[in-house]
């Protein structure tokens, strides 16, 4: 019979290392000083997203000039990962065309494992070269339950732009 | 004197590791762990006695039925009731829904009001909202004071003779607050209202005598009191259960079925449609036997001790805020808190890496979270198998969190 004492546990990993990889300084900075929070006057696309499981919330407003993201507002509340991801996203998509935004979103989702892929979307030898600060969120991949937090703003932005 | 270390050793799961550390389980308000005696009782039932209850005309079915009804008697004795006042349900939630559909839908009108409190679990809010949708009745919420107690002035102000039902938790799963149920029930009855009490966080932790509470219905879940999932209890005053209609129809709950209508079985069976959770009932009986062997007064005393220890330890953590009563008196061991600007989900993840399991979120009490003006809190909750070192592990892991978030 399988009793708890006969169950073998995996050998301990170094937890503090993976936690430190997740809670990078740049993430805490975006959590505490979120960018692009001011509401917009002219709103061409908007959506609200939430994660009912943990209560993370984000509201996105986009102002377009042609098909370029002219201004963006990202407001919300929730854990450091959801809010930092939203803030970094707002920086990354500002001034980009809708097509470029879709590409960045795709790359981000592949980096996070939200979209399955075999390709290595970010270059480990040149950190930041592909997605800039956003690459700091890779540390979240070691915490599968938190990937949803990182993804919330992106899914919400997709929803706003696809309407 | 209870040997609490021996008690702890009765819970096999507590000897496992989590993320390389001993598991420190501080989420018993969500669900409790089970002692070996409960696991054994369930295995024994399935190994020796399993057959559908109240059906077969053979000895095995008879034995199974006896075990099921024996469990009902044990529950009844445990809460100071008679066996036919005890309805087995799937859990506290379905107990509330049984009253919502079996009583409220037929007795509440659009001129009536239902009075709840802001600290109710969703299980004691949403069923009444469904009733309100269908009947047009209104719902009002009693607030809380600064110190996390029910605002009794507010309660008396909102209570008038339009109120047909008062729904109140005996103990809050977020604040830990124990509410003065007898005082509430007395005032409610004087105003002509019935009272439904949420005892999900009370029955596991203190001795409850249903008649002393003054309530008309009491709801609780087996899985929060060392028993298995899938079973809960609705207790009701016999004359009220008698007058109530069943909320669900099916087998087991009828005395006769004709094509043009059916007659109900006697209380409590008329509320137990379909094959009931009889193996779970046997498990719940074993849980109650286990608690009674220790003694509920002793369980309560030990939990007070642990809660006091936890509250004192947490008070020493700079930047930590506790929501709810600040001392162990008048509260159960569910302690909600926040730490500086670290979001509760981040806290839970960090603590988990030290093997410490706590809850983060709104704890199925969103209205309360909004009242407290915190979208989410962290919650540590203790039960009889916890020990001071579990609290120490929590405090140690909180220090980790502060370091990772560079909080002074
Ligand atoms: C106070 C309170 N009421 C009701 C419930 C609902 O219990 P269950 O989910 O077992 O039906 C809970 C459990 O979360 C609770 O803490």
């Amino acid at each position: 019979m399988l009793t708890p004492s006969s169950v073998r546990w995996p050998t301990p990993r170094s937890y503090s290392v993976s936690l430190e990889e997740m809670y990078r300084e740049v993430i805490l900075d975006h959590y505490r000083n979120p960018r692009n929070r001011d509401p917009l006057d002219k709103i061409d696309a908007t959506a609200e997203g939430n994660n009912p499981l943990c209560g993370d919330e984000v509201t996105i407003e986009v102002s377009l000039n042609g098909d370029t993201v002219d201004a963006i507002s990202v407001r919300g509340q929730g854990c450091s990962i959801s809010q930092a991801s939203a803030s970094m996203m707002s920086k990354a998509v500002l001034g980009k065309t809708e097509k470029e935004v879709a590409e960045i979103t795709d790359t981000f989702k592949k980096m996070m494992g939200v979209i399955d892929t075999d390709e290595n979307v970010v270059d480990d030898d040149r950190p930041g070269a592909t997605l800039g600060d956003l690459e700091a969120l890779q540390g979240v991949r070691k915490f599968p339950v938190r990937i949803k937090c990182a993804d919330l703003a992106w899914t919400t932005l997709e929803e706003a732009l696809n309407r | 004197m209870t040997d609490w270390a021996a008690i702890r050793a009765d819970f096999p799961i507590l000897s496992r590791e989590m993320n390389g550390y001993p598991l420190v389980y501080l989420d018993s308000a969500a669900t409790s762990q089970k002692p070996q005696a409960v696991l054994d009782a369930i295995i024994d039932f399935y190994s020796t006695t399993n057959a559908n209850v109240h059906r077969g005309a053979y000895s095995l079915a008879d034995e199974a039925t006896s075990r099921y009804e024996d469990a009902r008697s044990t529950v009844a004795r445990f809460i100071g009731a008679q066996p036919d006042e005890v309805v087995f349900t799937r859990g506290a939630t379905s107990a509330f829904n049984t009253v919502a559909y079996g009583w409220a839908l037929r007795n509440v009108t659009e001129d009536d009001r239902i009075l709840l409190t802001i600290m109710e679990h969703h299980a004691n809010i949403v069923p009444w909202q469904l009733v309100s949708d269908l009947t047009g009745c209104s719902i009002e919420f009693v607030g809380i004071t600064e110190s996390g107690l029910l605002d009794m002035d507010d309660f008396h102000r909102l209570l008038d003779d339009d109120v047909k039902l008062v729904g109140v938790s005996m103990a809050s799963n977020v604040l830990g607050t124990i509410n003065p149920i007898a005082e509430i029930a007395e005032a409610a009855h004087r105003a002509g209202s019935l009272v439904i009490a949420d005892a999900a966080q009370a029955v596991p932790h203190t001795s409850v005598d249903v008649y002393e509470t003054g309530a008309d219905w009491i709801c609780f879940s087996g899985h929060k009191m060392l028993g298995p999932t899938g079973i809960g209890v609705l207790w009701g005053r016999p004359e009220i259960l008698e007058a109530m209609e069943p909320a669900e129809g099916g087998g087991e709950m009828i005395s006769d079925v004709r094509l043009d209508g059916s007659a109900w079985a006697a209380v409590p069976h008329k509320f137990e449609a379909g094959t009931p959770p009889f193996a779970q009932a046997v498990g719940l009986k074993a849980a109650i036997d286990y608690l009674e062997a220790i003694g509920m007064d002793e369980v309560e005393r030990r939990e007070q001790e642990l809660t006091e220890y936890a509250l004192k330890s947490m008070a020493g953590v700079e930047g930590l805020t506790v929501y709810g009563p600040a001392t162990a008196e008048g509260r159960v061991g569910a302690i909600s808190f926040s730490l500086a600007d670290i979001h509760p989900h981040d806290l839970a993840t960090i603590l988990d890496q030290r093997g410490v399991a706590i809850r983060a979120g709104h704890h199925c009490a969103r209205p309360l979270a909004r009242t407290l003006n915190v979208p989410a809190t962290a919650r540590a909750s203790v039960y009889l198998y916890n020990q001071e070192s579990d609290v120490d592990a929590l405090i140690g892991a909180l220090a980790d969190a502060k370091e990772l978030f560079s909080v002074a």
Side-chain angles (χ1 to χ4, degrees):
Chain A
M1 203 173 94
L2 198 65
T3 63
S5 53
S6 69
V7 177
R8 296 203 37 213
W9 308 113
T11 41
R13 301 170 311 210
S14 176
Y15 308 96
S16 53
V17 170
S18 39
L19 278 173
E20 273 167 18
E21 276 175 12
M22 176 154 72
Y23 293 116
R24 301 254 181 96
E25 233 176 271
V26 57
I27 291 180
L28 296 182
D29 176 47
H30 276 270
Y31 172 53
R32 291 191 165 124
N33 312 296
R35 322 291 201 267
N36 301 312
R37 273 183 86 88
D38 294 335
L40 303 185
D41 291 331
K42 171 179 165 285
I43 301 168
D44 298 309
T46 180
E48 281 173 30
N50 73 78
N51 187 341
L53 211 67
C54 56
D56 292 344
E57 290 169 7
V58 57
T59 301
I60 295 180
E61 295 164 359
V62 178
S63 169
L64 294 167
N65 181 359
D67 69 346
T68 301
V69 176
D70 208 26
I72 182 165
S73 166
V74 178
R75 302 184 298 278
Q77 52 158 358
C79 68
S80 62
I81 303 304
S82 70
Q83 301 308 304
S85 181
S87 170
M88 291 186 200
M89 178 191 79
S90 73
K91 247 182 78 181
V93 302
L94 193 60
K96 299 287 193 298
T97 64
E98 288 192 58
K99 183 157 169 287
E100 286 165 335
V101 171
E103 279 163 14
I104 296 169
T105 303
D106 188 66
T107 308
F108 178 80
K109 286 181 179 254
K110 282 180 175 155
M111 177 183 83
M112 298 305 293
V114 177
I115 295 177
D116 264 342
T117 177
D118 290 333
E119 64 183 295
N120 244 342
V121 290
V122 296
D123 185 348
D124 289 337
D125 294 333
R126 291 163 53 233
T130 317
L131 282 178
D133 285 354
L134 282 164
E135 291 182 19
L137 284 164
Q138 279 181 93
V140 178
R141 285 194 68 163
K142 290 216 179 76
F143 299 86
V145 291
R146 304 298 300 277
I147 291 174
K148 264 208 158 91
C149 308
D151 189 48
L152 176 66
W154 297 84
T155 301
T156 310
L157 177 64
E158 271 185 326
E159 209 184 298
L161 292 177
N162 289 342
R163 269 189 190 156
Chain B
M1 271 296 284
T2 313
D3 180 352
W4 293 108
I7 296 286
R8 181 181 176 89
D10 287 339
F11 292 78
I13 203 172
L14 297 180
S15 59
R16 74 162 286 186
E17 294 182 9
M18 191 47 71
N19 297 325
Y21 288 85
L23 172 65
V24 172
Y25 186 73
L26 292 172
D27 195 19
S28 295
T31 196
S32 70
Q33 298 303 345
K34 323 301 171 198
Q36 191 64 48
V38 168
L39 306 178
D40 287 346
I42 295 168
I43 290 182
D44 171 70
F45 178 82
Y46 279 125
S47 312
T48 67
T49 320
N50 185 50
N52 210 334
V53 296
H54 295 296
R55 281 184 190 177
Y58 49 90
S59 310
L60 192 62
D62 231 26
E63 275 181 35
T65 304
S66 303
R67 296 276 300 269
Y68 181 54
E69 292 305 324
D70 188 35
R72 193 190 308 278
S73 303
T74 299
V75 170
R77 187 172 35 71
F78 188 59
I79 59 173
Q82 293 301 315
D84 55 8
E85 300 161 8
V86 170
V87 177
F88 281 128
T89 64
R90 277 190 299 109
T93 301
S94 78
F96 283 107
N97 281 282
T98 300
V99 177
Y101 287 87
W103 176 80
L105 271 190
R106 296 159 194 275
N107 289 280
V108 172
T109 69
E110 63 181 342
D111 299 326
D112 296 332
R113 286 192 300 146
I114 293 176
L115 193 52
L116 305 173
T117 87
I118 202 77
M119 65 170 93
E120 294 315 301
H121 188 277
H122 293 168
N124 195 16
I125 297 176
V126 183
W128 311 121
Q129 291 175 334
L130 294 171
V131 166
S132 167
D133 283 348
L134 291 169
T135 64
C137 75
S138 56
I139 301 178
E140 267 173 300
F141 292 88
V142 179
I144 56 173
T145 66
E146 288 277 298
S147 46
L149 303 180
L150 203 62
D151 184 342
M152 290 302 284
D153 292 338
D154 199 28
F155 168 68
H156 288 294
R157 201 166 45 74
L158 290 171
L159 182 69
D160 61 29
D161 56 12
D162 288 341
V163 175
K164 287 294 171 301
L165 181 69
V166 172
V168 60
S169 47
M170 290 179 63
S172 160
N173 66 314
V174 180
L175 301 170
T177 314
I178 295 174
N179 291 320
I181 182 68
E183 183 186 340
I184 290 168
E186 207 204 310
H189 286 154
R190 247 186 288 122
S193 170
L194 295 180
V195 177
I196 188 163
D198 182 348
Q201 299 292 344
V203 169
H205 307 291
T206 76
S207 81
V208 170
D209 180 305
V210 288
Y211 282 96
E212 274 174 23
T213 65
D216 300 288
W217 294 281
I218 283 190
C219 308
F220 57 96
S221 289
H223 69 92
K224 292 183 201 278
M225 52 187 290
L226 313 183
T229 53
I231 186 147
V233 171
L234 168 66
W235 169 83
R237 287 183 192 277
E239 65 278 12
I240 292 175
L241 291 182
E242 203 57 56
M244 254 167 82
E245 289 295 315
E248 284 189 333
E252 310 260 6
M253 52 74 70
I254 39 78
S255 64
D256 187 22
V257 176
R258 295 174 310 273
L259 293 184
D260 59 350
S262 299
W264 311 144
V267 173
H269 299 107
K270 97 174 161 189
F271 300 109
E272 295 179 357
T275 297
F278 47 82
Q280 290 87 332
V282 168
L284 177 57
K285 175 190 158 53
I288 292 174
D289 289 346
Y290 186 90
L291 287 168
E292 284 190 318
I294 301 169
M296 283 311 287
D297 290 345
E298 179 70 355
V299 168
E300 184 177 348
R301 190 195 59 72
R302 174 59 179 155
E303 283 185 39
Q304 285 254 313
E305 201 170 83
L306 281 169
T307 305
E308 189 71 50
Y309 184 80
L311 286 168
K312 281 211 173 105
S313 304
M314 291 164 89
V317 178
E318 208 178 315
L320 188 145
T321 307
V322 168
Y323 302 97
T327 61
E329 217 173 300
R331 62 136 60 235
V332 292
I335 305 173
S336 289
F337 65 97
S338 62
L339 181 58
D341 70 345
I342 310 175
H343 194 277
H345 298 140
D346 293 312
L347 263 185
T349 298
I350 296 166
L351 267 50
D352 182 41
Q353 294 301 302
R354 284 268 216 137
V356 179
I358 61 155
R359 184 83 184 270
H362 49 70
H363 318 297
C364 293
R366 283 213 139 182
L368 178 59
R370 291 201 186 92
T371 303
L372 297 172
N373 204 16
V374 284
T377 61
R379 181 186 70 191
S381 51
V382 295
Y383 205 4
L384 74 175
Y385 40 68
N386 287 113
Q387 52 194 13
E388 280 76 1
S389 65
D390 293 337
V391 175
D392 297 342
L394 166 70
I395 302 295
L398 291 175
D400 275 9
K402 286 173 80 166
E403 200 174 310
L404 275 161
F405 270 72
S406 318
V407 174

